[in-house]
Coordinates of all heavy atoms in Angstrom, one line a residue:
M116 N -27.8 -61.7 -59.0 CA -28.6 -61.3 -60.1 C -29.8 -60.4 -59.6 O -30.3 -60.6 -58.6 CB -29.2 -62.5 -60.8 CG -28.2 -63.3 -61.5 SD -27.5 -62.4 -62.9 CE -26.5 -63.6 -63.7
L117 N -30.2 -59.5 -60.5 CA -31.3 -58.6 -60.2 C -32.5 -59.0 -61.1 O -32.3 -59.2 -62.4 CB -30.9 -57.2 -60.5 CG -32.0 -56.1 -60.4 CD1 -32.5 -56.0 -59.0 CD2 -31.5 -54.8 -60.8
K118 N -33.6 -59.3 -60.5 CA -34.8 -59.7 -61.3 C -35.8 -58.5 -61.4 O -36.0 -57.7 -60.4 CB -35.6 -60.8 -60.6 CG -34.7 -62.0 -60.3 CD -34.7 -63.0 -61.4 CE -34.0 -64.2 -61.0 NZ -34.2 -65.3 -61.9
H119 N -36.3 -58.3 -62.6 CA -37.3 -57.3 -62.9 C -38.6 -58.0 -63.3 O -38.6 -58.7 -64.3 CB -36.8 -56.4 -64.0 CG -37.8 -55.3 -64.5 ND1 -38.3 -54.3 -63.7 CD2 -38.5 -55.2 -65.7 CE1 -39.1 -53.5 -64.4 NE2 -39.3 -54.1 -65.6
V120 N -39.6 -57.9 -62.5 CA -40.9 -58.6 -62.7 C -42.0 -57.6 -63.0 O -42.2 -56.6 -62.3 CB -41.3 -59.4 -61.4 CG1 -42.6 -60.2 -61.6 CG2 -40.2 -60.3 -60.9
V121 N -42.7 -57.9 -64.1 CA -43.9 -57.1 -64.5 C -45.1 -57.9 -64.6 O -45.1 -59.0 -65.3 CB -43.6 -56.4 -65.8 CG1 -44.8 -55.5 -66.3 CG2 -42.3 -55.6 -65.8
M122 N -46.2 -57.6 -63.9 CA -47.5 -58.3 -64.0 C -48.5 -57.3 -64.7 O -48.5 -56.1 -64.3 CB -47.9 -58.7 -62.6 CG -47.0 -59.6 -61.9 SD -47.6 -60.1 -60.3 CE -47.7 -58.6 -59.5
I123 N -49.2 -57.9 -65.6 CA -50.1 -57.0 -66.4 C -51.5 -57.6 -66.3 O -51.8 -58.8 -66.6 CB -49.7 -57.0 -67.9 CG1 -48.2 -56.5 -68.0 CG2 -50.6 -56.1 -68.7 CD1 -47.6 -56.7 -69.3
Q124 N -52.5 -56.7 -66.0 CA -53.9 -57.0 -66.2 C -54.3 -56.4 -67.5 O -54.2 -55.2 -67.7 CB -54.7 -56.4 -65.0 CG -56.2 -56.7 -65.1 CD -56.4 -58.2 -64.8 OE1 -55.8 -58.7 -63.8 NE2 -57.2 -58.8 -65.6
L125 N -54.8 -57.2 -68.4 CA -55.1 -56.8 -69.8 C -56.5 -56.1 -69.9 O -57.4 -56.5 -69.1 CB -55.0 -57.9 -70.8 CG -53.7 -58.6 -70.9 CD1 -53.8 -59.9 -71.7 CD2 -52.7 -57.7 -71.5
K126 N -56.6 -55.2 -70.8 CA -57.9 -54.7 -71.1 C -58.8 -55.8 -71.6 O -58.2 -56.8 -72.2 CB -57.8 -53.5 -72.1 CG -57.2 -52.3 -71.6 CD -57.0 -51.3 -72.8 CE -56.3 -50.0 -72.3 NZ -56.1 -49.1 -73.4
E127 N -60.1 -55.7 -71.5 CA -61.0 -56.8 -71.8 C -60.8 -57.3 -73.3 O -60.9 -58.5 -73.5 CB -62.4 -56.4 -71.7 CG -62.8 -56.1 -70.2 CD -63.6 -57.1 -69.6 OE1 -64.2 -58.0 -70.3 OE2 -63.7 -57.1 -68.4
T128 N -60.5 -56.4 -74.2 CA -60.4 -56.8 -75.6 C -59.0 -57.1 -76.1 O -58.8 -57.3 -77.3 CB -61.0 -55.7 -76.5 OG1 -60.2 -54.5 -76.2 CG2 -62.4 -55.4 -76.2
C129 N -58.0 -57.2 -75.2 CA -56.6 -57.4 -75.6 C -56.1 -58.7 -75.3 O -56.6 -59.4 -74.4 CB -55.8 -56.3 -74.9 SG -56.2 -54.6 -75.4
N130 N -55.0 -59.1 -76.0 CA -54.3 -60.3 -75.6 C -52.8 -59.9 -75.7 O -52.4 -58.9 -76.3 CB -54.6 -61.5 -76.6 CG -54.2 -61.2 -78.0 OD1 -53.0 -60.9 -78.2 ND2 -55.1 -61.3 -78.9
P131 N -51.9 -60.7 -75.1 CA -50.5 -60.3 -74.9 C -49.6 -60.7 -76.1 O -48.4 -60.6 -76.0 CB -50.1 -61.1 -73.7 CG -50.9 -62.4 -73.7 CD -52.3 -61.9 -74.3
D132 N -50.2 -61.1 -77.2 CA -49.3 -61.5 -78.4 C -48.3 -60.5 -78.8 O -47.2 -60.8 -79.1 CB -50.2 -61.9 -79.6 CG -51.0 -63.1 -79.3 OD1 -50.7 -63.9 -78.4 OD2 -52.0 -63.4 -80.1
T133 N -48.7 -59.2 -78.8 CA -47.7 -58.2 -79.2 C -46.6 -58.1 -78.3 O -45.4 -58.0 -78.7 CB -48.4 -56.8 -79.3 OG1 -49.5 -56.9 -80.3 CG2 -47.5 -55.7 -79.8
C134 N -46.9 -58.1 -77.0 CA -45.8 -58.1 -76.0 C -44.9 -59.3 -76.1 O -43.7 -59.2 -76.0 CB -46.4 -58.0 -74.6 SG -47.0 -56.4 -74.2
C135 N -45.5 -60.5 -76.4 CA -44.7 -61.7 -76.5 C -43.7 -61.5 -77.7 O -42.5 -61.9 -77.5 CB -45.6 -62.9 -76.8 SG -46.5 -63.4 -75.4
E136 N -44.1 -60.9 -78.8 CA -43.2 -60.8 -79.9 C -42.1 -59.8 -79.6 O -40.9 -60.1 -79.9 CB -44.0 -60.2 -81.1 CG -44.9 -61.3 -81.7 CD -44.2 -62.5 -82.1 OE1 -43.1 -62.5 -82.8 OE2 -44.7 -63.6 -81.8
L137 N -42.4 -58.7 -78.9 CA -41.3 -57.8 -78.5 C -40.4 -58.4 -77.5 O -39.2 -58.2 -77.5 CB -41.9 -56.5 -77.9 CG -42.6 -55.6 -78.8 CD1 -43.4 -54.5 -78.1 CD2 -41.7 -55.0 -79.8
L138 N -40.9 -59.2 -76.6 CA -40.0 -59.9 -75.6 C -39.1 -60.9 -76.2 O -38.0 -61.0 -75.8 CB -40.9 -60.6 -74.5 CG -41.6 -59.6 -73.5 CD1 -42.6 -60.4 -72.7 CD2 -40.6 -58.9 -72.6
K139 N -39.5 -61.5 -77.3 CA -38.7 -62.5 -78.0 C -37.4 -61.8 -78.5 O -36.3 -62.4 -78.6 CB -39.4 -63.1 -79.2 CG -40.5 -64.1 -78.8 CD -41.2 -64.6 -80.0 CE -42.3 -65.6 -79.6 NZ -43.1 -66.0 -80.7
G140 N -37.4 -60.5 -78.9 CA -36.3 -59.8 -79.4 C -35.5 -59.0 -78.4 O -34.5 -58.4 -78.7
L141 N -35.9 -59.1 -77.2 CA -35.4 -58.2 -76.1 C -33.9 -58.4 -75.9 O -33.1 -57.5 -75.8 CB -36.2 -58.3 -74.8 CG -35.8 -57.4 -73.7 CD1 -35.9 -55.9 -74.2 CD2 -36.7 -57.7 -72.5
R142 N -33.5 -59.7 -75.8 CA -32.1 -60.0 -75.4 C -31.1 -59.6 -76.6 O -30.0 -59.2 -76.3 CB -31.9 -61.5 -75.1 CG -32.5 -61.8 -73.8 CD -32.3 -63.2 -73.4 NE -30.9 -63.5 -73.1 CZ -30.3 -64.6 -73.1 NH1 -31.0 -65.7 -73.4 NH2 -29.0 -64.8 -72.8
Q143 N -31.6 -59.6 -77.8 CA -30.7 -59.2 -78.9 C -30.6 -57.6 -78.9 O -29.6 -57.1 -79.4 CB -31.3 -59.7 -80.2 CG -31.2 -61.2 -80.4 CD -32.2 -62.0 -79.6 OE1 -33.3 -61.5 -79.4 NE2 -31.8 -63.1 -79.2
Q144 N -31.7 -57.0 -78.5 CA -31.7 -55.5 -78.6 C -31.1 -54.8 -77.4 O -30.6 -53.7 -77.5 CB -33.2 -55.0 -78.7 CG -33.9 -55.5 -80.0 CD -33.2 -54.8 -81.2 OE1 -32.8 -53.7 -81.2 NE2 -33.1 -55.6 -82.3
V145 N -31.1 -55.5 -76.2 CA -30.6 -54.9 -75.0 C -29.6 -55.9 -74.4 O -30.1 -56.8 -73.6 CB -31.7 -54.6 -74.0 CG1 -31.2 -53.9 -72.8 CG2 -32.8 -53.7 -74.6
P146 N -28.4 -55.8 -74.6 CA -27.4 -56.8 -74.2 C -27.3 -57.0 -72.6 O -26.9 -58.0 -72.2 CB -26.0 -56.2 -74.7 CG -26.4 -55.3 -75.8 CD -27.7 -54.8 -75.5
A147 N -27.8 -56.0 -71.9 CA -27.7 -56.1 -70.4 C -28.7 -57.1 -69.9 O -28.6 -57.6 -68.7 CB -28.0 -54.7 -69.8
V148 N -29.7 -57.5 -70.7 CA -30.7 -58.5 -70.3 C -30.1 -59.9 -70.4 O -29.7 -60.3 -71.4 CB -32.0 -58.4 -71.1 CG1 -33.0 -59.5 -70.7 CG2 -32.6 -57.1 -71.0
R149 N -29.9 -60.5 -69.2 CA -29.3 -61.8 -69.2 C -30.2 -63.0 -69.5 O -29.8 -64.0 -70.1 CB -28.7 -62.1 -67.8 CG -27.6 -61.1 -67.4 CD -26.3 -61.4 -68.3 NE -25.3 -60.5 -67.9 CZ -24.7 -59.7 -68.8 NH1 -25.0 -59.7 -70.0 NH2 -23.7 -58.9 -68.4
S150 N -31.5 -62.9 -69.1 CA -32.5 -63.9 -69.4 C -33.9 -63.3 -69.4 O -34.1 -62.3 -68.7 CB -32.4 -65.1 -68.5 OG -32.8 -64.7 -67.2
T151 N -34.8 -64.0 -70.1 CA -36.2 -63.5 -70.1 C -37.1 -64.7 -69.9 O -36.7 -65.8 -70.3 CB -36.5 -62.9 -71.4 OG1 -36.3 -63.8 -72.5 CG2 -35.7 -61.6 -71.7
S152 N -38.2 -64.5 -69.3 CA -39.3 -65.5 -69.2 C -40.6 -64.8 -69.1 O -40.6 -63.7 -68.6 CB -39.1 -66.5 -68.1 OG -39.2 -65.8 -66.8
W153 N -41.6 -65.4 -69.7 CA -42.9 -64.8 -69.6 C -44.0 -65.9 -69.8 O -43.7 -67.0 -70.3 CB -43.1 -63.7 -70.7 CG -42.9 -64.2 -72.1 CD1 -43.9 -64.8 -72.9 CD2 -41.7 -64.2 -72.9 NE1 -43.4 -65.1 -74.1 CE2 -42.1 -64.7 -74.2 CE3 -40.4 -63.7 -72.7 CZ2 -41.1 -64.8 -75.2 CZ3 -39.5 -63.8 -73.7 CH2 -39.9 -64.4 -74.9
G154 N -45.2 -65.5 -69.5 CA -46.3 -66.4 -69.7 C -47.6 -65.8 -69.2 O -47.7 -64.8 -68.5
S155 N -48.7 -66.4 -69.7 CA -50.1 -66.0 -69.3 C -50.4 -66.8 -68.0 O -49.9 -67.9 -67.7 CB -51.1 -66.4 -70.4 OG -50.8 -65.6 -71.5
N156 N -51.4 -66.2 -67.3 CA -51.8 -66.8 -66.0 C -52.4 -68.2 -66.2 O -53.1 -68.4 -67.2 CB -52.9 -65.9 -65.4 CG -53.3 -66.4 -64.0 OD1 -52.5 -66.8 -63.2 ND2 -54.6 -66.4 -63.8
A157 N -52.0 -69.1 -65.4 CA -52.4 -70.5 -65.5 C -53.5 -70.9 -64.6 O -54.2 -71.9 -64.8 CB -51.2 -71.4 -65.3
V158 N -53.7 -70.1 -63.5 CA -54.7 -70.4 -62.5 C -55.6 -69.2 -62.2 O -55.2 -68.2 -61.7 CB -54.1 -70.8 -61.2 CG1 -55.1 -71.2 -60.1 CG2 -53.1 -72.0 -61.4
A159 N -56.9 -69.3 -62.7 CA -57.8 -68.2 -62.5 C -58.1 -67.9 -61.0 O -58.3 -68.8 -60.3 CB -59.1 -68.5 -63.3
S160 N -58.1 -66.6 -60.7 CA -58.4 -66.2 -59.4 C -58.8 -64.7 -59.4 O -58.2 -64.0 -60.3 CB -57.3 -66.5 -58.4 OG -56.7 -65.3 -57.9
P161 N -59.6 -64.2 -58.6 CA -60.0 -62.8 -58.6 C -58.8 -61.8 -58.5 O -58.8 -60.7 -59.0 CB -60.9 -62.6 -57.4 CG -61.4 -64.0 -57.1 CD -60.3 -64.9 -57.5
S162 N -57.7 -62.2 -57.8 CA -56.6 -61.3 -57.6 C -55.5 -61.6 -58.7 O -54.5 -60.9 -58.6 CB -56.0 -61.5 -56.2 OG -55.5 -62.8 -56.0
A163 N -55.7 -62.5 -59.6 CA -54.6 -62.8 -60.5 C -54.5 -61.8 -61.7 O -55.5 -61.3 -62.1 CB -54.8 -64.2 -61.1
Y164 N -53.3 -61.6 -62.1 CA -53.1 -60.8 -63.3 C -53.0 -61.7 -64.5 O -52.9 -63.0 -64.4 CB -51.8 -60.0 -63.2 CG -52.0 -58.7 -62.5 CD1 -52.6 -58.7 -61.2 CD2 -51.7 -57.5 -63.0 CE1 -52.8 -57.5 -60.5 CE2 -51.9 -56.3 -62.4 CZ -52.5 -56.3 -61.1 OH -52.7 -55.1 -60.5
D165 N -53.2 -61.2 -65.7 CA -53.3 -62.0 -66.9 C -52.0 -62.5 -67.5 O -51.9 -63.5 -68.1 CB -54.0 -61.2 -68.0 CG -55.4 -60.8 -67.7 OD1 -56.2 -61.7 -67.2 OD2 -55.8 -59.6 -67.8
F166 N -50.9 -61.7 -67.3 CA -49.7 -61.9 -68.0 C -48.5 -61.4 -67.1 O -48.7 -60.4 -66.4 CB -49.6 -61.2 -69.4 CG -48.5 -61.5 -70.2 CD1 -48.4 -62.6 -70.9 CD2 -47.4 -60.5 -70.3 CE1 -47.3 -62.9 -71.7 CE2 -46.3 -60.8 -71.1 CZ -46.3 -62.0 -71.9
C167 N -47.4 -62.1 -67.2 CA -46.2 -61.7 -66.4 C -45.0 -62.0 -67.2 O -44.9 -62.9 -68.0 CB -46.2 -62.5 -65.1 SG -44.8 -62.2 -64.0
F168 N -44.0 -61.1 -67.0 CA -42.7 -61.4 -67.5 C -41.6 -61.0 -66.5 O -41.8 -60.2 -65.7 CB -42.4 -60.8 -68.9 CG -42.4 -59.3 -69.0 CD1 -41.2 -58.6 -68.8 CD2 -43.5 -58.5 -69.2 CE1 -41.1 -57.2 -68.9 CE2 -43.5 -57.2 -69.3 CZ -42.3 -56.5 -69.2
V169 N -40.5 -61.8 -66.6 CA -39.4 -61.6 -65.7 C -38.1 -61.4 -66.5 O -37.8 -62.2 -67.4 CB -39.2 -62.8 -64.8 CG1 -38.0 -62.6 -63.8 CG2 -40.5 -63.1 -64.0
L170 N -37.4 -60.4 -66.2 CA -36.1 -60.1 -66.9 C -35.0 -60.2 -65.8 O -35.2 -59.8 -64.7 CB -36.1 -58.7 -67.5 CG -37.2 -58.3 -68.4 CD1 -37.0 -56.9 -68.9 CD2 -37.3 -59.3 -69.6
E171 N -33.9 -60.7 -66.2 CA -32.7 -60.9 -65.3 C -31.6 -60.1 -65.7 O -31.2 -60.1 -66.9 CB -32.4 -62.4 -65.2 CG -31.3 -62.6 -64.1 CD -31.1 -64.1 -64.0 OE1 -30.5 -64.7 -64.9 OE2 -31.5 -64.7 -63.0
F172 N -30.9 -59.3 -64.8 CA -29.8 -58.5 -65.0 C -28.7 -58.9 -64.1 O -28.9 -59.3 -63.0 CB -30.2 -57.0 -64.8 CG -31.3 -56.6 -65.7 CD1 -32.6 -56.6 -65.3 CD2 -31.0 -56.1 -67.0 CE1 -33.6 -56.2 -66.1 CE2 -32.0 -55.6 -67.8 CZ -33.4 -55.7 -67.4
E173 N -27.5 -58.6 -64.5 CA -26.3 -58.9 -63.7 C -26.3 -58.0 -62.4 O -25.9 -58.4 -61.3 CB -25.0 -58.6 -64.5 CG -23.8 -59.1 -63.8 CD -23.7 -60.6 -63.8 OE1 -24.1 -61.3 -64.7 OE2 -23.1 -61.1 -62.8
D174 N -26.7 -56.7 -62.6 CA -26.7 -55.7 -61.5 C -27.6 -54.6 -61.8 O -28.3 -54.5 -62.8 CB -25.2 -55.2 -61.3 CG -24.6 -54.7 -62.6 OD1 -25.3 -54.3 -63.6 OD2 -23.4 -54.8 -62.8
L175 N -27.6 -53.6 -60.9 CA -28.5 -52.4 -61.1 C -28.1 -51.6 -62.3 O -29.0 -51.0 -62.9 CB -28.4 -51.6 -59.8 CG -29.4 -50.4 -59.7 CD1 -30.8 -50.9 -59.8 CD2 -29.2 -49.7 -58.3
E176 N -26.9 -51.6 -62.7 CA -26.5 -50.8 -63.9 C -27.1 -51.4 -65.1 O -27.5 -50.7 -66.0 CB -25.0 -50.8 -64.0 CG -24.3 -49.9 -62.9 CD -24.8 -48.5 -62.9 OE1 -25.0 -47.9 -64.0 OE2 -25.1 -48.0 -61.8
G177 N -27.2 -52.8 -65.1 CA -27.9 -53.4 -66.3 C -29.3 -53.0 -66.4 O -29.8 -52.8 -67.5
L178 N -30.0 -53.0 -65.2 CA -31.4 -52.6 -65.2 C -31.6 -51.1 -65.7 O -32.4 -50.8 -66.5 CB -32.0 -52.7 -63.8 CG -33.5 -52.3 -63.7 CD1 -34.4 -53.0 -64.5 CD2 -33.9 -52.4 -62.2
K179 N -30.7 -50.3 -65.3 CA -30.7 -48.9 -65.7 C -30.5 -48.8 -67.2 O -31.1 -48.0 -67.9 CB -29.7 -48.1 -64.9 CG -30.0 -47.8 -63.5 CD -28.9 -47.1 -62.8 CE -29.3 -46.9 -61.3 NZ -28.2 -46.2 -60.6
S180 N -29.6 -49.6 -67.7 CA -29.3 -49.6 -69.2 C -30.6 -50.0 -69.9 O -30.9 -49.4 -70.9 CB -28.2 -50.6 -69.5 OG -28.0 -50.7 -70.8
Y181 N -31.2 -51.0 -69.4 CA -32.5 -51.5 -70.1 C -33.6 -50.3 -70.0 O -34.2 -50.0 -70.9 CB -33.0 -52.7 -69.4 CG -34.5 -53.0 -69.5 CD1 -35.0 -53.5 -70.8 CD2 -35.4 -52.9 -68.5 CE1 -36.3 -53.7 -70.9 CE2 -36.7 -53.1 -68.7 CZ -37.2 -53.6 -69.9 OH -38.5 -53.9 -70.1
D182 N -33.7 -49.7 -68.8 CA -34.7 -48.7 -68.5 C -34.6 -47.5 -69.5 O -35.6 -47.0 -69.9 CB -34.6 -48.3 -67.1 CG -35.9 -47.5 -66.7 OD1 -37.0 -47.9 -67.0 OD2 -35.7 -46.4 -66.1
T183 N -33.4 -47.2 -69.9 CA -33.2 -46.0 -70.8 C -33.1 -46.4 -72.2 O -33.0 -45.5 -73.1 CB -31.9 -45.3 -70.3 OG1 -30.8 -46.1 -70.4 CG2 -32.1 -44.7 -68.9
S184 N -33.2 -47.7 -72.6 CA -33.0 -48.1 -74.0 C -34.3 -47.8 -74.8 O -35.4 -47.7 -74.3 CB -32.8 -49.6 -74.0 OG -34.0 -50.3 -73.7
D185 N -34.1 -47.6 -76.1 CA -35.2 -47.3 -77.0 C -36.1 -48.5 -77.1 O -37.3 -48.3 -77.2 CB -34.6 -47.0 -78.4 CG -33.9 -45.7 -78.5 OD1 -34.1 -44.8 -77.6 OD2 -33.1 -45.5 -79.4
Y186 N -35.6 -49.7 -77.0 CA -36.4 -50.9 -77.1 C -37.3 -51.0 -75.9 O -38.5 -51.4 -76.0 CB -35.5 -52.2 -77.1 CG -36.2 -53.3 -77.8 CD1 -36.4 -53.4 -79.2 CD2 -36.7 -54.4 -77.1 CE1 -37.0 -54.4 -79.8 CE2 -37.4 -55.4 -77.7 CZ -37.5 -55.4 -79.0 OH -38.2 -56.5 -79.6
H187 N -36.9 -50.6 -74.7 CA -37.7 -50.6 -73.5 C -38.9 -49.6 -73.7 O -40.0 -49.8 -73.3 CB -36.9 -50.3 -72.2 CG -37.8 -50.2 -71.0 ND1 -37.8 -49.1 -70.2 CD2 -38.7 -51.1 -70.5 CE1 -38.7 -49.3 -69.2 NE2 -39.2 -50.5 -69.4
Q188 N -38.6 -48.4 -74.3 CA -39.6 -47.4 -74.5 C -40.7 -48.0 -75.5 O -41.9 -47.7 -75.3 CB -39.0 -46.2 -75.1 CG -37.9 -45.5 -74.2 CD -38.3 -45.4 -72.7 OE1 -39.4 -45.0 -72.4 NE2 -37.4 -45.9 -71.9
L189 N -40.3 -48.7 -76.5 CA -41.2 -49.4 -77.4 C -42.1 -50.4 -76.6 O -43.3 -50.4 -76.8 CB -40.5 -50.1 -78.5 CG -41.3 -50.8 -79.5 CD1 -42.3 -49.9 -80.3 CD2 -40.4 -51.5 -80.5
L190 N -41.4 -51.2 -75.8 CA -42.2 -52.2 -75.0 C -43.1 -51.6 -74.1 O -44.3 -52.0 -74.0 CB -41.2 -53.1 -74.3 CG -41.7 -54.2 -73.4 CD1 -42.6 -55.2 -74.3 CD2 -40.6 -55.0 -72.7
R191 N -42.7 -50.5 -73.4 CA -43.5 -49.8 -72.4 C -44.7 -49.2 -73.2 O -45.9 -49.3 -72.7 CB -42.7 -48.7 -71.8 CG -43.5 -47.9 -70.8 CD -42.6 -46.7 -70.2 NE -41.7 -47.3 -69.3 CZ -40.7 -46.7 -68.8 NH1 -40.3 -45.5 -69.3 NH2 -39.9 -47.2 -67.9
Q192 N -44.5 -48.6 -74.4 CA -45.6 -48.1 -75.1 C -46.7 -49.2 -75.5 O -47.9 -48.9 -75.4 CB -45.1 -47.4 -76.4 CG -46.1 -46.8 -77.2 CD -45.5 -46.1 -78.5 OE1 -44.3 -45.9 -78.6 NE2 -46.3 -45.7 -79.4
E193 N -46.2 -50.3 -75.9 CA -47.1 -51.4 -76.2 C -47.9 -51.9 -75.0 O -49.1 -52.1 -75.1 CB -46.4 -52.6 -76.8 CG -46.0 -52.4 -78.3 CD -47.2 -52.2 -79.2 OE1 -48.3 -52.9 -79.0 OE2 -47.1 -51.4 -80.1
I194 N -47.2 -52.0 -73.9 CA -47.9 -52.5 -72.7 C -48.9 -51.5 -72.2 O -50.0 -51.8 -71.9 CB -46.8 -52.7 -71.6 CG1 -46.0 -54.0 -71.9 CG2 -47.5 -52.9 -70.2 CD1 -44.9 -54.2 -71.0
R195 N -48.6 -50.2 -72.3 CA -49.6 -49.2 -71.9 C -50.8 -49.2 -72.8 O -51.9 -48.9 -72.3 CB -48.9 -47.8 -71.9 CG -48.0 -47.6 -70.8 CD -47.4 -46.2 -70.8 NE -46.5 -46.0 -69.6 CZ -45.6 -45.1 -69.5 NH1 -45.3 -44.3 -70.5 NH2 -44.9 -45.0 -68.4
S196 N -50.7 -49.6 -74.0 CA -51.8 -49.6 -74.9 C -52.8 -50.8 -74.7 O -53.9 -50.8 -75.1 CB -51.4 -49.6 -76.4 OG -50.9 -50.9 -76.8
I197 N -52.3 -51.8 -74.0 CA -53.1 -53.0 -73.8 C -53.4 -53.3 -72.3 O -54.2 -54.2 -72.0 CB -52.5 -54.3 -74.4 CG1 -51.2 -54.7 -73.7 CG2 -52.3 -54.1 -75.9 CD1 -50.6 -56.0 -74.1
R198 N -52.9 -52.5 -71.4 CA -53.1 -52.9 -70.0 C -54.2 -52.1 -69.4 O -54.5 -50.9 -69.7 CB -51.8 -52.6 -69.2 CG -51.6 -51.1 -69.0 CD -50.5 -50.8 -68.1 NE -50.5 -49.3 -67.9 CZ -49.5 -48.6 -67.5 NH1 -48.3 -49.2 -67.2 NH2 -49.5 -47.3 -67.3
A199 N -54.9 -52.8 -68.5 CA -55.8 -52.1 -67.6 C -55.1 -51.7 -66.3 O -55.4 -50.6 -65.7 CB -57.0 -53.0 -67.2
A200 N -54.1 -52.5 -65.9 CA -53.3 -52.2 -64.8 C -52.0 -53.0 -64.9 O -51.9 -54.0 -65.6 CB -54.0 -52.6 -63.5
S201 N -50.9 -52.5 -64.2 CA -49.7 -53.3 -64.1 C -49.0 -53.0 -62.9 O -49.2 -51.9 -62.3 CB -48.8 -53.0 -65.4 OG -48.4 -51.7 -65.4
H202 N -48.1 -53.9 -62.4 CA -47.3 -53.7 -61.3 C -45.9 -54.3 -61.6 O -45.8 -55.3 -62.3 CB -47.9 -54.5 -60.0 CG -49.1 -53.8 -59.5 ND1 -49.1 -52.7 -58.8 CD2 -50.4 -54.2 -59.6 CE1 -50.3 -52.3 -58.5 NE2 -51.1 -53.3 -59.0
T203 N -44.9 -53.7 -61.0 CA -43.5 -54.2 -61.1 C -42.9 -54.3 -59.8 O -43.3 -53.7 -58.8 CB -42.7 -53.2 -62.0 OG1 -42.5 -52.0 -61.3 CG2 -43.3 -53.0 -63.4
V204 N -41.9 -55.2 -59.7 CA -41.0 -55.3 -58.6 C -39.6 -55.7 -59.1 O -39.5 -56.4 -60.1 CB -41.5 -56.4 -57.6 CG1 -41.5 -57.8 -58.1 CG2 -40.8 -56.3 -56.3
D205 N -38.6 -55.1 -58.5 CA -37.2 -55.4 -58.8 C -36.6 -55.9 -57.5 O -36.7 -55.2 -56.4 CB -36.5 -54.1 -59.2 CG -37.1 -53.5 -60.5 OD1 -37.2 -54.2 -61.5 OD2 -37.6 -52.3 -60.4
Y206 N -35.9 -57.0 -57.6 CA -35.3 -57.6 -56.4 C -34.0 -58.3 -56.7 O -33.8 -58.8 -57.8 CB -36.2 -58.5 -55.6 CG -36.5 -59.8 -56.3 CD1 -35.8 -60.9 -56.1 CD2 -37.6 -59.9 -57.3 CE1 -36.0 -62.1 -56.8 CE2 -37.8 -61.0 -57.9 CZ -37.1 -62.2 -57.7 OH -37.3 -63.3 -58.3
F207 N -33.1 -58.3 -55.8 CA -31.8 -59.0 -55.9 C -32.1 -60.4 -55.4 O -32.6 -60.6 -54.3 CB -30.7 -58.4 -55.1 CG -30.1 -57.2 -55.8 CD1 -30.5 -55.9 -55.3 CD2 -29.3 -57.3 -56.8 CE1 -30.0 -54.8 -55.9 CE2 -28.8 -56.1 -57.4 CZ -29.1 -54.9 -57.0
E208 N -31.8 -61.4 -56.3 CA -32.0 -62.8 -56.0 C -31.1 -63.2 -54.8 O -29.9 -63.0 -54.8 CB -31.7 -63.6 -57.2 CG -32.0 -65.1 -57.1 CD -31.8 -65.8 -58.4 OE1 -30.7 -65.5 -59.1 OE2 -32.6 -66.5 -58.8
S209 N -31.7 -63.9 -53.8 CA -30.9 -64.4 -52.7 C -30.7 -65.9 -52.9 O -31.5 -66.6 -53.5 CB -31.6 -64.1 -51.4 OG -32.9 -64.7 -51.4
V210 N -29.5 -66.3 -52.5 CA -29.1 -67.7 -52.7 C -29.2 -68.4 -51.4 O -28.9 -68.0 -50.3 CB -27.7 -67.7 -53.2 CG1 -27.3 -69.2 -53.6 CG2 -27.6 -66.9 -54.4

């Protein structure tokens, strides 16, 4: 499985509710997404980000399908409007 991880530092006046709503519909809109999880930071620290989500794909082709989807473009636009910074990592899960 391929994991796509996105960590977001929110602008001071923003909250992640809009992203949460979009993430709820992601699996129905993009069939290549096998699973989703997300949440707000639970332990405050100077290096912590505010919000994170993880998407799981069968393979690299699934991630590419998501990356080019209209729904991903909508999600990306929403994230850009509320983020101060963000980082992503994609990795193949080792067993």
